[in-house]
Every structure is written in C-alpha cells, then in structure tokens.
Amino acid sequence: MIRFKTLLRTHLLWLTAIFCIQLLLVRLVAAQSPYSNTKFAESNTSDVDFSPSVGTHSNFSAQQSGPDNVYDIITEGLVGTNYELDLEIQWTNVTYEATNAELAILAEEGTNTHSLNASGGYMIVGNGSPNWASPSGTISFWVYLDTVGNRPWGQHTDMELRFYGGNLILDWGAGTDLISNTSFIAGKWYFIAVVWNENTNELWLYVGDQDSPPTLDAYSNSWYSFVSSLIVTENNFMASRGGLNPTLGRGDDLRYWGIDRNLTELQKDYRTELNGSEANLISYFKLNGNFEDVGPSSNNSTSVGTCTFSLNTPFDQASTEELKIDIWTGSSWQALFTGLETGWNNISISSYLNSSIITIRLKGAIETTDDFQDVWKIDTTLLYIWAHEPTFNWTNYIFFAFLALGILIPVTLVLKQRNKIKTPSSASQTFVEKFGMNNQDLVGKKILLEVDPTSGFYRTLIDFASKSISDNTSLHIFTRKNSLLHTKFSDEKVQLFLMSPKISSLKHLDKKEVLVPMRDLSVLLYVITKTTKKGIKKPRIMIFDNLSDTILMCGFEKTYKFLRFLLESMSPKVSALFVFNPTAHGAAVSSSIRGLFQHRLAPTST
C-alpha cells in the first residue's frame, strides 16, 4: 500500500510538471517559430558596385554542392600589366527575418609550387638506367614549349617522343610511329600521356592543355611491335636518350605507371598532385624545387646543363597572395576574411541580415604591381541561416521555470538514485578491459571501433565517455536521439549532435543539443568539420555512433567519400572513435571501411 501511494504521488508530480512545461512551450512557440536553412552559392553574375568583373571561375557549380573534392579554380585576370581579381557571389530570397547567419567557405591551398625550367638543360631519370619499357604502361607529363621542336622524353631510339613541325611523333617499337592530330604551339602548357598494351596490340596518345582536359588524340589497335624487350640507353626528361635534342621550355609532374590507364583515370587526376603511394604508380616526379622521385621506385634524379625551377605551373598552383572575402553592406564593401585558410572558413554575418539579398566579393590581396597570376581553389560556399532564440514574457517565464524546477529537481534526484545506469563493474567491462587501451593511448588518433551490438558495448563506451568528462576533455557525441549515449549524457557537460533521418536542416534544440539531418551528408560533414577542423587549440574527443547506420541510410559509396574527406580534414588534436558493426555488411564494404583507418580496435579476448 505504501509503495502504491509513493508511485501515485510520483506520477501526479510528473503530470503536473509536464502540464507546466507544455504551457511554457506553447507560449514559446506562439512567440516565434524556429527556422533554419542551408543555402549554397546561387549566382556569380551580380554587379552591385557597378564595377567590371575581373578574373574567372573554372567551375562555379562546384561551389554549389559538396564538399566533394571538386573545385572551382579562381584565376586572376590581366588588367593592363597587372593581375587582379574582382568576382561577386550572391544569394537571393534570403529569409532575413531570421537573426543568425553564418558564411562558410571550404578552400584548398594549391600544392604545386614549381615546375622544371629546362631551357638550358634536361633531367636524367635516376642515374639514367630506370627502364620504363613494361609490357603495358602509361607515361604522362606537362610541357610548356618556348619553341616547338626536339624531343621532350625518351630512353631509346625506338621509345621516345619527338616533334616534327607542329606535330608530336611517337616512336614506340621498331618501325612504329603514331602521329598526333594536335598541332602544338609555343607559349602554352600541354598535358601529354602515352599509353600502351602489348597484349592487346593497342597504342594511345592523349593530349590536353591548361584550358581543356585530355582527350584521345591518336590511336592504333594494330600496334604489333614491342618495347618491353628494349634495353634502356638513358632515360631523360626534356631531352631524349643521352641528352639528344633537348626541348626548350618547362616540364612538370612526370609520372610512370605500370598499367595502361584509361581516359577516365587520366582526367580524374591530371590536374591534381598525387601522394606517390597510388596503386600501380612506379615513379613520380612533382618537380617542386627538387628532383625527388616520390613514387615507390625512389629513383631520385639529377640535371645536366642549366636547369632552374619556375613558379609557373600548369595546375594546382600555390598562390603567392591571400584571397580576401568582402560583404556588400548596401553602399560599400566590408572585409570579412583577409585571407582564406585550407579547410572550412566560418564567420558570422548576422549583422548584415538587413535585406533578402546577400552579396560577397572575392578579391586579391595584391592589386597593384602584381605581375604573377594567382589561382585559388574553392570546394563549397554556403550560408547557414537560423532563427534567434524567441523572445517572450520574462515574468511568465520565471514563474513557469521555478514551478517546473521545484517539481522536477526532487523527482529527478529520486529517480536517478533508483534507475541510473550503473558504472562498469565485473559484469560490465571498462574500456581498458574490453579494448586494451585507455583514454591517453587514444590521444590524436582516428580509430575504427568494431563492435558486436549484442555484446552490451554501450556500457563500455559510456565508461570511456565518463572518463573523458572527468578529465575535463571537450567531448562531442554524434548519435541517435534517445540512444543510450544520449540518455546517459543529456545532463552532462557534453555537446550532443542527434542524427535524424526525418529532418532536412539543422535544428538547435538548446546550447548542448543539435538535431542534424542524417540523410544529407554535406550538412553532417559541415557540422563535424566545423567541430574538428584543423586549427583548433584544445584537444577534443569525438564519438561517432555509428557508421553502420550511416551506410545503411545513405549508401556505401556516399558514406565512403564522406568518411575519407572527414578523416583528411580533422585536426591532430582530435581523438575520434567511429563505431562500426562489420557483421551488418558484406566483406567488401567492411574491408573498404577498415582501409580508411590506420588504427582499429576490437574487443580483446577474455
């Protein structure tokens, strides 16, 4: 009987509290409905200051989606003898009744710092003996011709490239020539790729330039000769075998692959520097101020004659000046960024929400005596807009708040005492016992945490998170609403991001909890990279619960790209656990996800 009365009183208290809270929420919602929206860059044709646009976009649509590693290359234009930049980006129909707005730009710094200026010499590959005459292969490079003529590469009289008139001739095997359809001209960067396969008797020549991607230029399906039996005379770049007929100009990004690459593969990375560990890549010379072979062959090279390194490069050029971002106030430009950094660049523009039109300007930092044409790479540009906290009657708020607190605090204390999740004991292993590592062992690592959902791993994960809180480490948890992690830490000093498939934009529930659309990986990536991006000053811990849900909800291919980009952009100060259930997927999917991580944890045997 006593227990029944106690339960009855508890239920009555809860009903009273819920009634009071509902009254408060009704007043809040009536005062102002919450609003949030994400808008990608909309237009690049505005002219709010009536000044001519200067410079070009290579692919403005790249800024209107992503992040996806597809870039809009911003290039300065020539005004007289000076290189300048003045381009506008605009949003219309902005809901400026919302009182919060943030501009977010994802930028990438070019890494191609130099090319080889071989106008007075040439390069010897390794010591001259590396033999690139495999049964199938691909040799590609960029070349800038001061004059059209001579031989840009060669290692044998029957395996070399030579110009005749304005055309390029491939001597590839005894008595075999392939002649380009392209007529080359001086003063322009060209991309050249020679591809061969002795087993299929095919020989390809692909040509592109600084303005156009490579396409098939010449082809033979009756190439019955061989190069794999040739003995190398001397492997040279910007000249042929033994320094014969050096080509006057510049060369860059020399690559040798042990396979016959197709056009799709060539177009995918012909304007992107590689890291040197790509599959089937044998030798790779970036020529960024040195002759290092960053491929697996490590055939570091030397030069003959007078060779220098030039700042003029055909792609992914490192800028020599900052890219500034200004915003139009209605009468003048106001500076937002004095220079973009690699990664996300975020800044509040709430004070400029006085119109339904928002316009920003891209401007070079050096606008006078600038004789170098700079380029910059932008992946994504977007506005995130949301409503301010609603205003309401403070007298009523205080009354309802104290009423609710007076009821909830004693009830919550009683219920917590009875029903709280117990700390790990002998029946529930700690994180150290289950995975063999403690919190300090994980500092700075990005770890795939492989779990069995039937093993009660959440209690072990809660032990890890609780230890992080006790160490005063900033903890950020991405999980489902009402998950055990959410329930356990909703009252703790933890930032909770609750992933939901039912919403399409961010919703701030309070200062500690944010609803994140699970199906829109671009928004999810934006939120995570903003939290974990490079440049943060204090260590942070992130728990992502979990990857298997994301794969099943969004598909493997999208999740893989999302995860790969995320891991590359995370700060070394961030320790991250990505929960993954490999039994929920096939072997190929599990293997691909594991391949993205240098560190993986699975339960230790007991």
Side-chain angles (χ1 to χ4, degrees):
M1 186 66 179
I2 294 175
R3 184 177 181 183
F4 173 75
K5 288 181 178 180
T6 302
L7 290 173
L8 180 60
R9 282 198 303 270
T10 302
H11 280 81
L12 287 175
L13 287 172
W14 273 111
L15 288 173
T16 305
I18 291 169
F19 173 73
C20 293
I21 292 171
Q22 285 178 333
L23 285 177
L24 178 60
L25 290 176
V26 167
R27 293 187 64 86
L28 295 181
V29 174
Q32 181 178 355
S33 297
Y35 170 84
S36 66
N37 191 19
T38 301
K39 297 171 71 70
F40 287 101
E42 291 181 350
S43 169
N44 65 338
T45 59
S46 62
D47 185 18
V48 296
D49 60 359
F50 303 105
S51 64
S53 296
V54 182
T56 59
H57 296 270
S58 69
N59 180 20
F60 179 67
S61 62
Q63 297 194 47
Q64 299 176 300
S65 61
D68 51 14
N69 291 321
V70 177
Y71 297 100
D72 181 15
I73 310 298
I74 310 298
T75 305
E76 284 186 306
L78 188 63
V79 179
T81 59
N82 197 55
Y83 285 106
E84 300 178 11
L85 183 73
D86 190 334
L87 296 174
E88 294 181 13
I89 295 176
Q90 191 173 82
W91 291 262
T92 57
N93 298 319
V94 176
T95 306
Y96 62 96
E97 291 86 353
T99 52
N100 290 293
E102 185 175 85
L103 173 67
I105 301 176
L106 182 58
E108 182 75 20
E109 177 71 25
T111 58
N112 192 1
T113 60
H114 295 86
S115 63
L116 173 64
N117 187 342
S119 295
Y122 60 92
M123 173 181 133
I124 300 177
V125 176
N127 60 3
S129 64
N131 191 349
W132 291 1
S134 48
S136 63
T138 303
I139 297 172
S140 67
F141 56 86
W142 285 86
V143 64
Y144 182 98
L145 302 168
D146 291 339
T147 58
V148 180
N150 294 341
R151 306 174 193 237
W153 180 87
Q155 69 169 33
H156 188 277
T157 186
D158 290 329
M159 193 177 180
E160 64 179 359
L161 305 176
R162 57 187 172 90
F163 286 103
Y164 182 78
N167 299 99
L168 183 66
I169 298 177
L170 279 67
D171 292 321
W172 226 255
T176 301
D177 293 342
L178 193 63
I179 303 175
S180 73
N181 288 297
T182 296
S183 181
F184 292 79
I185 61 175
K188 187 175 183 178
W189 279 104
Y190 287 97
F191 173 81
I192 296 171
V194 180
V195 184
W196 68 96
N197 189 319
E198 294 178 350
N199 296 321
T200 61
N201 306 117
E202 291 177 282
L203 181 64
W204 299 262
L205 172 64
Y206 297 96
V207 177
D209 58 41
Q210 62 197 47
D211 302 314
S212 306
T215 57
L216 181 61
D217 185 87
Y219 168 71
S220 173
N221 59 0
S222 56
W223 177 63
Y224 297 110
S225 188
F226 293 89
V227 293
S228 58
S229 59
L230 299 177
I231 299 175
V232 62
T233 303
E234 185 177 79
N235 191 335
N236 294 152
F237 181 44
M238 300 303 287
S240 186
R241 45 191 170 85
L244 180 66
N245 297 141
T247 295
L248 300 179
R250 304 181 189 94
D252 197 22
D253 212 65
L254 174 64
R255 309 174 183 180
Y256 166 52
W257 305 76
I259 59 167
D260 51 333
R261 304 191 81 204
N262 59 40
L263 180 59
T264 300
E265 292 169 326
L266 292 171
Q267 290 180 342
K268 182 179 179 181
D269 58 25
Y270 82 107
R271 289 177 61 90
T272 303
E273 284 199 333
L274 308 178
N275 59 36
S277 61
E278 288 75 9
N280 302 306
L281 181 62
I282 297 176
S283 277
Y284 178 36
F285 299 89
K286 295 184 179 183
L287 299 172
N288 282 338
N290 58 58
F291 294 100
E292 181 183 2
D293 181 358
V294 298
S297 292
S298 299
N299 287 315
N300 296 339
S301 299
T302 57
S303 64
V304 173
T306 304
C307 286
T308 59
F309 290 97
S310 169
L311 293 175
N312 187 326
T313 62
F315 68 91
D316 208 16
Q317 180 175 293
S319 58
T320 62
E321 63 182 289
E322 299 288 356
L323 175 60
K324 301 192 303 181
I325 305 296
D326 304 328
I327 190 167
W328 182 249
T329 66
S331 58
S332 63
W333 294 104
Q334 179 69 39
L336 291 178
F337 293 103
T338 57
L340 295 183
E341 298 178 354
T342 294
W344 281 106
N345 297 262
N346 306 83
I347 192 168
S348 172
I349 58 169
S350 301
S351 59
Y352 303 102
L353 274 180
N354 53 11
S355 167
S356 62
I357 299 176
I358 296 292
T359 307
I360 63 172
R361 177 178 69 173
L362 283 61
K363 192 80 170 173
I366 303 174
E367 294 291 77
T368 58
T369 64
D370 185 2
D371 58 359
F372 186 79
Q373 187 177 37
D374 277 294
V375 298
W376 300 270
K377 297 165 63 180
I378 296 180
D379 187 326
T380 302
T381 300
L382 54 85
L383 287 180
Y384 174 55
I385 306 165
W386 70 99
H388 198 317
E389 293 296 328
T391 57
F392 44 88
N393 186 300
W394 281 100
T395 303
N396 288 345
Y397 168 73
I398 293 171
F399 169 76
F400 284 120
F402 273 102
L403 180 60
L405 289 174
I407 295 170
L408 287 175
I409 289 175
V411 171
T412 303
L413 290 175
V414 172
L415 292 179
K416 271 195 172 183
Q417 186 65 27
R418 293 180 177 181
N419 302 317
K420 66 180 181 179
I421 299 175
K422 297 179 181 180
T423 56
S425 62
S426 58
S428 174
Q429 290 177 289
T430 66
F431 191 86
V432 177
E433 292 169 339
K434 194 171 186 70
F435 293 102
M437 295 181 74
N438 58 37
N439 291 45
Q440 292 302 315
D441 295 329
L442 307 183
V443 172
K445 295 182 174 67
K446 300 1 176 226
I447 296 174
L448 185 68
L449 188 66
E450 299 186 10
V451 299
D452 178 355
T454 64
S455 66
F457 75 93
Y458 267 114
R459 292 183 179 274
T460 306
L461 204 56
I462 287 170
D463 167 66
F464 170 80
S466 299
K467 181 66 168 59
S468 301
I469 295 172
S470 66
D471 291 340
N472 292 320
T473 304
S474 178
L475 180 61
H476 302 260
I477 297 177
F478 290 78
T479 188
R480 304 184 313 279
K481 189 175 183 180
N482 297 324
S483 70
L484 284 178
L485 287 177
H486 177 209
T487 303
K488 173 63 178 174
F489 296 108
S490 58
D491 295 328
E492 301 286 352
K493 192 177 180 181
V494 174
Q495 186 69 53
L496 289 163
F497 298 90
L498 308 177
M499 298 181 288
S500 171
K502 298 181 180 180
I503 61 172
S504 58
S505 60
L506 292 175
K507 292 185 179 179
H508 292 255
L509 301 181
D510 54 39
K511 290 184 178 180
K512 294 198 307 179
E513 295 190 0
V514 181
L515 279 177
V516 183
M518 188 175 186
R519 295 181 185 274
D520 192 340
L521 292 182
S522 64
V523 176
L524 181 58
L525 184 61
Y526 164 72
V527 173
I528 299 179
T529 52
K530 183 180 176 182
T531 304
T532 63
K533 67 179 181 180
K534 297 175 181 177
I536 62 173
K537 297 181 180 179
K538 295 182 179 180
R540 295 180 180 177
I541 291 178
M542 186 192 83
I543 297 175
F544 189 91
D545 172 36
N546 64 48
L547 283 176
S548 293
D549 278 358
T550 309
I551 293 171
L552 296 174
M553 191 69 64
C554 303
F556 166 68
E557 185 173 344
K558 289 183 178 179
T559 305
Y560 182 89
K561 293 179 180 178
F562 152 81
L563 186 58
R564 180 174 179 180
F565 188 92
L566 174 60
L567 291 173
E568 291 176 355
S569 63
M570 292 179 78
S571 167
K573 291 184 178 293
V574 173
S575 309
L577 291 179
F578 292 85
V579 180
F580 179 60
N581 174 19
T583 62
H585 314 283
V589 170
S590 296
S591 176
S592 297
I593 294 297
R594 286 167 175 151
L596 292 174
F597 290 85
Q598 293 184 7
H599 307 283
R600 305 202 317 264
L601 285 181
T604 57
S605 58
T606 57

